[in-house]
């Protein structure tokens, strides 16, 4: 009995809150219909606004498409590099080499402790000053979009690293042992046995990170990238149509995130299916 | 005859618990040995030390002349010579049965795919599962999975096979199909070290029973003698419990 307080403490329920609810689960009727209401509602509102109030709504809508392209380019490029960085750092986090392990862990801890906006400013405004005082002056030039992609990739790479680490560690220990017992090196085992299984486990959290990244990409409007938000701001500051402008911007972001979350859910379901019946 | 596995004074602690307490054991080529004993007696640890899934604290293990615990030994060579079958099968769920078997020959030995496929089909036929080549592990019963796991280990053409409680995770009606495959393997002359309590298999295929308790080898004899007339008190008590 004297140990019971400790036991109780250990049994404190843990709740995890993630962006997961954005991604509808298969067979989750409530979420699915919520998705329908939000997605088609946003589309219909946007269409009605353009139809009945062409000025300013249709004008705004025709002003922002290159912003959408910029937002999507930054998002896709960043998620691509973040996945590569995340895989390398995630493997580093489980490496038996203490130096590699320490480097990966410090990277993850440092990057996750600094706001993305600060990292963006650091790379866009800070680093160029450093380059100007180094022999690299004139050789390396970081423009807005490349700074944005570098900063977001480094930032999200740290979160991806934790996803890769957790995914790899979620596999039964026997998988690695079986591969080693067959004469494989650790590298071969990771490449042919561990990572292919990890991908399936980590696709849902990676989907969530992708949606979060898409939204966070709006931060690049603070450095010289003409993304969706910045295009909206540009239009608003000349026309003074703040309400209309940010309504359209919000609706477009909503439509994009809902569209991609649905796409990810479908991909997941497909992948799960393939694993069993292929 | 030169032993293919030679274990000398093998010792291993998990914290303060001594799991291997100075084990000496020689396994000759072609010999089939059943290692038996109460849980926690160190039998699995001993088996897993042979291909260095566990590290010994002291002592030596030679597998076909290779010193397992010498840091200079390429442990992969030992593992190629000593195939292992696990209690929980550990098939790779993302690969089909034939994919499971082909993976190691193509990855480690760089065997061409066609040749590996041919080898895998031959091994699947040997364990009676040729028709399951393209099935995935989760579509198979436990007994079938374990037979695929045996075929997978055989694909590296090992000189010794290590079985770590191969039937303990199986439903009773599936045990026989796995033991039959193992018995066939023994008849083919494979050197086998089997941690198991399957007396039927011991009687049918084993040359020697090794009884372990508390990290020591207590008694070694032929299956017939061990099961009918154990010499040591601890072996007698143990047999009373499992019979």
């Amino acid at each position: 009995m004297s140990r019971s307080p400790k036991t109780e403490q250990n049994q404190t329920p843990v709740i995890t809150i993630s962006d997961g609810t954005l991604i509808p689960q298969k067979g989750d009727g409530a979420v699915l219909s919520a998705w329908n209401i939000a997605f088609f509602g946003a589309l219909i509102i946007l269409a009605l606004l353009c139809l009945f109030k062409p000025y300013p709504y249709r004008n705004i809508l025709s002003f922002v498409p290159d912003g959408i392209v910029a937002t999507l380019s930054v998002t896709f490029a960043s998620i691509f590099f973040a996945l590569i960085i995340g895989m390398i750092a995630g493997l580093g986090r489980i490496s038996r080499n203490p130096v590699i392990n320490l480097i990966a862990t410090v990277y993850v801890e440092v990057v996750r402790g600094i706001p993305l906006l600060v990292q963006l400013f650091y790379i866009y405004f800070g680093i160029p000053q450093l380059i100007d005082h180094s022999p690299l002056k004139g050789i390396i030039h970081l423009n807005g979009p490349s700074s944005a992609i570098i900063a977001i990739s480094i930032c999200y790479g740290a979160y991806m690293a934790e996803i890769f680490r957790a995914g790899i560690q979620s596999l039964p220990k026997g998988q690695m042992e079986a591969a080693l017992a067959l004469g494989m090196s650790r590298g071969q085992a990771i490449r042919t046995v561990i990572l292919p299984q990890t991908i399936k486990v980590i696709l849902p959290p990676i989907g969530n990170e992708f949606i979060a990244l898409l939204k966070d990409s709006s931060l690049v409007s603070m450095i010289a990238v003409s993304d969706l938000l910045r295009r909206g701001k540009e239009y608003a500051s000349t026309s003074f149509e703040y309400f209309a402008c940010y309504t359209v911007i919000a609706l477009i972001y909503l439509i994009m995130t809902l569209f991609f979350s649905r796409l990810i859910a479908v991909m997941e379901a497909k992948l799960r299916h393939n694993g069993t019946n292929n | 005859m030169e032993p293919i596995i030679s274990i000398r004074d093998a010792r291993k602690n998990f914290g303060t618990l001594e799991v291997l307490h100075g084990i000496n054991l020689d396994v000759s080529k072609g010999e089939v040995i059943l290692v038996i004993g109460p849980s926690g007696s160190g039998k699995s640890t001993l088996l897993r030390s042979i291909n260095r899934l566990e590290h010994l604290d002291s002592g030596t293990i030679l597998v076909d002349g290779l010193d397992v615990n010498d840091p200079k030994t390429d442990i992969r060579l030992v593992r190629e010579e000593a195939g292992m079958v696990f209690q929980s099968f550990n098939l790779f769920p993302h690969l089909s049965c034939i994919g499971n078997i082909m993976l190691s020959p193509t990855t480690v030995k760089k065997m061409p795919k066609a040749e590996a496929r041919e080898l895998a089909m031959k091994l699947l036929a040997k364990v009676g599962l040729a028709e399951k080549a393209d099935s995935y592990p989760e579509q198979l019963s436990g007994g079938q999975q374990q037979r695929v796991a045996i075929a997978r280990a055989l694909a590296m053409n090992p000189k010794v096979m290590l079985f770590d409680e191969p039937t303990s995770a199986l439903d009773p009606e599936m045990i026989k199909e796995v033991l039959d495959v193992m018995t066939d393997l023994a008849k083919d002359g494979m050197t086998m070290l089997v941690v198991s309590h399957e007396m039927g298999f011991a009687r049918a295929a084993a040359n020697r029973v090794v009884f372990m308790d508390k990290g020591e080898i207590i008694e070694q004899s032929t299956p017939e003698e061990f099961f009918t007339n154990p010499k040591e008190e601890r072996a007698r008590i143990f047999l009373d419990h499992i019979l």
Side-chain angles (χ1 to χ4, degrees):
Chain A
M1 281 313 249
S2 62
R3 257 183 293 168
S4 70
K6 204 175 178 183
T7 335
E8 269 167 33
Q9 217 173 21
N10 288 345
Q11 284 170 348
T12 308
V14 178
I15 57 166
T16 41
I17 299 167
S18 70
D19 297 343
T21 45
L22 257 180
I23 296 178
Q25 298 293 308
K26 210 180 166 193
D28 195 342
V31 179
L32 272 185
S33 66
W35 185 90
N36 281 334
I37 291 166
F39 184 73
F40 292 108
L43 277 179
I44 290 166
I45 289 171
L46 202 55
L48 290 177
L49 287 173
C50 291
L51 201 62
F52 292 108
K53 233 172 159 291
Y55 182 83
Y57 288 101
R58 203 183 290 171
N59 298 47
I60 297 168
L61 208 55
S62 58
F63 188 75
V64 296
D66 48 342
I68 298 177
V69 172
T71 288
L72 290 179
S73 324
V74 168
T75 301
F76 280 108
S78 300
I79 197 87
F80 175 75
F81 291 116
L83 278 171
I84 293 174
I85 295 172
M87 189 176 80
I88 295 168
L91 289 171
R93 289 273 281 142
I94 56 161
S95 169
R96 291 166 150 203
N97 181 325
V99 177
I100 294 174
N101 195 303
L102 196 67
I103 291 171
T105 308
V106 169
Y107 158 69
V108 169
E109 292 300 335
V110 167
V111 167
R112 289 201 308 174
I114 300 172
L116 176 54
L117 188 56
V118 175
Q119 293 184 39
L120 275 166
F121 282 7
Y122 198 82
I123 302 242
Y124 184 66
F125 298 115
I127 298 292
Q129 201 172 36
L130 198 68
I131 292 175
D132 279 349
H133 289 98
S134 77
L136 291 170
K137 185 181 160 94
I139 300 170
I140 294 180
H141 174 70
L142 292 179
N143 62 10
S146 51
S147 299
I149 291 167
I150 291 171
I152 299 178
S153 303
I154 291 174
C155 179
Y156 271 78
Y159 292 93
M160 294 293 184
E162 285 305 272
I163 293 174
F164 270 95
R165 180 192 58 74
I168 291 170
Q169 287 180 339
S170 75
L171 298 180
K173 217 175 115 220
Q175 291 292 311
M176 177 56 102
E177 283 188 351
L180 293 180
L182 285 165
M184 290 190 206
S185 65
R186 279 183 76 81
Q188 287 170 333
I190 286 172
R191 191 165 49 77
T192 63
V193 174
I194 303 300
L195 281 181
Q197 293 185 63
T198 309
I199 305 292
K200 216 175 267 192
V201 183
I202 65 177
L203 197 68
I206 283 181
N208 288 336
E209 290 298 314
F210 176 80
I211 302 295
L213 198 160
L214 175 60
K215 291 183 290 180
D216 276 354
S217 75
S218 62
L219 290 173
V220 305
S221 63
M222 304 291 288
I223 64 175
V225 180
S226 291
D227 76 326
L228 177 55
L229 178 58
R230 186 163 178 122
R231 291 296 281 167
K233 216 154 66 178
E234 282 166 11
Y235 189 92
S237 60
T238 51
S239 67
F240 303 107
E241 293 284 356
Y242 292 104
F243 177 79
C245 231
Y246 290 122
T247 301
V248 171
I249 299 299
L251 286 171
I252 295 175
Y253 271 115
L254 182 62
I255 290 167
M256 287 199 296
T257 53
L258 288 170
F259 171 77
F260 282 114
S261 63
R262 187 58 174 272
L263 192 71
I264 291 162
V266 170
M267 271 167 59
E268 256 171 61
K270 240 190 168 146
L271 197 72
R272 221 173 305 147
H273 202 65
N274 275 350
T276 55
N277 289 338
N278 189 10
Chain B
M1 194 201 264
E2 180 83 351
I4 191 155
I5 298 176
S6 169
I7 302 171
R8 287 288 168 275
D9 198 31
R11 286 173 193 274
K12 165 93 185 162
N13 298 308
F14 286 134
T16 54
L17 183 75
E18 191 162 43
V19 278
L20 295 181
H21 187 75
I23 300 282
N24 293 295
L25 185 68
D26 282 330
V27 182
S28 305
K29 210 167 161 27
E31 205 176 8
V32 177
I33 297 181
L34 189 85
V35 183
I36 198 168
S39 71
S41 58
K43 25 187 218 310
S44 283
T45 308
L46 177 67
L47 203 70
R48 290 162 57 84
S49 302
I50 293 172
N51 63 358
R52 217 212 274 168
L53 287 181
E54 304 281 355
H55 288 257
L56 285 186
D57 293 335
S58 67
T60 54
I61 298 180
L62 298 181
V63 175
D64 204 21
L66 294 165
D67 186 345
V68 174
N69 291 292
D70 186 344
K72 281 183 291 235
T73 303
D74 185 355
I75 192 64
R76 285 176 293 174
L77 298 177
V78 175
R79 287 168 177 163
E80 279 182 42
E81 304 223 330
M84 190 164 212
V85 174
F86 299 87
Q87 179 178 355
S88 49
F89 328 135
N90 297 347
L91 289 181
F92 306 133
H94 61 298
L95 297 175
S96 62
C97 291
I98 196 161
N100 264 273
I101 300 171
M102 287 166 62
L103 182 64
S104 200
T106 50
T107 317
V108 179
K109 291 189 172 169
K110 312 290 175 206
M111 188 186 280
K113 273 231 157 78
E115 194 184 329
R117 180 170 291 276
E118 203 178 315
L119 170 71
M121 281 314 295
K122 220 168 71 191
L123 290 168
L124 274 172
K126 191 183 168 87
V127 300
L129 288 170
E131 79 284 1
K132 297 286 185 190
D134 295 320
S135 300
Y136 278 78
E138 65 176 19
Q139 298 168 312
L140 303 183
S141 72
Q144 290 170 331
Q145 287 190 48
Q146 192 62 297
R147 281 147 69 194
V148 174
I150 293 172
R152 180 177 68 176
L154 290 173
M156 291 303 281
N157 197 20
K159 292 186 178 155
V160 186
M161 285 284 283
L162 309 171
F163 292 84
D164 189 5
E165 310 212 22
T167 56
S168 301
L170 295 176
D171 291 333
E173 73 269 25
M174 292 168 189
I175 291 177
K176 190 178 173 298
E177 63 187 58
V178 172
L179 292 181
D180 285 348
V181 168
M182 289 168 62
T183 308
D184 286 346
L185 207 55
K187 282 187 185 137
D188 289 349
M190 177 61 78
T191 310
M192 294 164 69
L193 204 53
V194 184
V195 171
S196 171
H197 292 164
E198 298 293 344
M199 283 187 298
F201 170 75
R203 285 211 162 95
N207 309 102
R208 186 160 35 134
V209 173
V210 171
F211 174 70
M212 282 180 72
D213 191 19
K214 300 200 174 85
E216 289 176 301
I217 292 178
I218 306 294
E219 181 170 345
Q220 303 189 48
S221 51
T222 64
E224 205 54 48
E225 202 175 309
F226 179 79
F227 289 117
T228 50
N229 185 24
K231 290 189 277 296
E232 297 289 331
E233 178 67 17
R234 273 194 268 180
R236 257 194 298 264
I237 295 170
F238 173 74
L239 285 174
D240 280 347
H241 279 295
I242 64 164
L243 287 178

